[in-house]
Amino acid sequence: MSDGKGDVWVEAGFIELARAGVEGVRVEVLAKNLGVTKGGFYRRFADRAALLEAMLQHWREGRAESIAQQTRLDGQEPRERLKAVIQLYSERLNPEAMAIELAIRQWARSDENAAAAVASVDAARLKHVAELYRATGLAAEEADAQAFLFYCFIFGQSLLFVDRGPRKRAQLVARSAEKLLG
């Protein structure tokens, strides 16, 4: 289960979070899913709260690093980079990642630490995309507004069930994305 970058308990926690929400992230459940005893958990974490904090930290750092990488120009024009990010999130739907994202956002509705993690990730996402829009020549306020619309589009399109088939959906997304690229 581990990719060498994460902790198996944290990864198992994300799977359970996506499946059953934060209430479902319980030591007994994770140990059973991993096929191990709870002792391994307590050698790694003081308690469930420590696991939940590690999950939030892993998610927050991973999302911030990911958007920083996705928005680097690396010799591309800003509009091309924005288009590439739109394509990344609209052509390759990732149901597991979206389930985790939604579960963390639901968790954030009732937990200050989760809310702080979500706010931090959202701020990083908006900051990096706004920087791309500023690089196209937009003023700061206009770039911030475009970045907000950009993320409304990115997340919104992934949640909509468009009854048009994959090809027509891709065409609709591409036409809509053009509006974001000006």
Side-chain angles (χ1 to χ4, degrees):
M1 178 182 290
S2 178
D3 61 3
K5 296 179 184 175
D7 181 285
V8 294
W9 292 99
V10 170
E11 292 175 20
F14 281 127
I15 292 167
E16 202 56 34
L17 178 69
R19 191 188 73 70
V22 71
E23 299 80 20
V25 181
R26 296 189 323 270
V27 177
E28 299 80 18
V29 172
L30 300 181
K32 181 181 176 192
N33 291 348
L34 291 170
V36 298
T37 66
K38 294 187 298 182
F41 174 85
Y42 289 107
R43 282 189 292 279
R44 172 69 175 87
F45 297 99
D47 54 20
R48 178 179 179 266
L51 169 66
L52 294 177
E53 183 56 37
M55 289 171 59
L56 287 174
Q57 180 180 348
H58 180 82
W59 180 77
R60 181 177 47 244
E61 290 172 0
R63 295 296 81 225
E65 180 182 324
S66 180
I67 192 60
Q69 288 176 353
Q70 293 162 359
T71 57
R72 271 194 207 110
L73 287 175
D74 291 333
Q76 280 189 310
E77 292 295 318
R79 285 189 200 295
E80 290 305 310
R81 177 48 60 194
L82 287 163
K83 187 175 181 178
V85 174
I86 290 169
Q87 287 176 323
L88 175 67
Y89 285 100
S90 61
E91 291 179 0
R92 198 185 73 188
L93 297 178
N94 184 337
E96 294 84 15
M98 185 52 73
I100 291 168
E101 178 88 26
L102 292 173
I104 289 174
R105 288 179 179 280
Q106 181 63 32
W107 179 11
R109 295 169 58 97
S110 62
D111 182 273
E112 285 182 28
N113 291 336
V118 168
S120 173
V121 167
D122 286 348
R125 287 172 168 158
L126 292 169
K127 173 185 166 259
H128 286 291
V129 170
E131 287 171 357
L132 287 177
Y133 277 112
R134 279 194 293 282
T136 69
L138 291 181
E141 283 187 17
E142 184 78 14
D144 291 346
Q146 279 296 111
F148 184 80
L149 287 172
F150 182 94
Y151 272 103
C152 288
F153 173 76
I154 291 294
F155 286 110
Q157 64 82 30
S158 69
L159 296 172
L160 294 175
F161 289 90
V162 180
D163 187 26
R164 296 183 175 206
R167 182 182 164 122
K168 294 216 181 221
R169 176 187 169 76
Q171 291 170 343
L172 178 62
V173 167
R175 282 194 310 273
S176 300
E178 285 301 317
K179 303 221 179 265
L180 288 171
L181 301 173

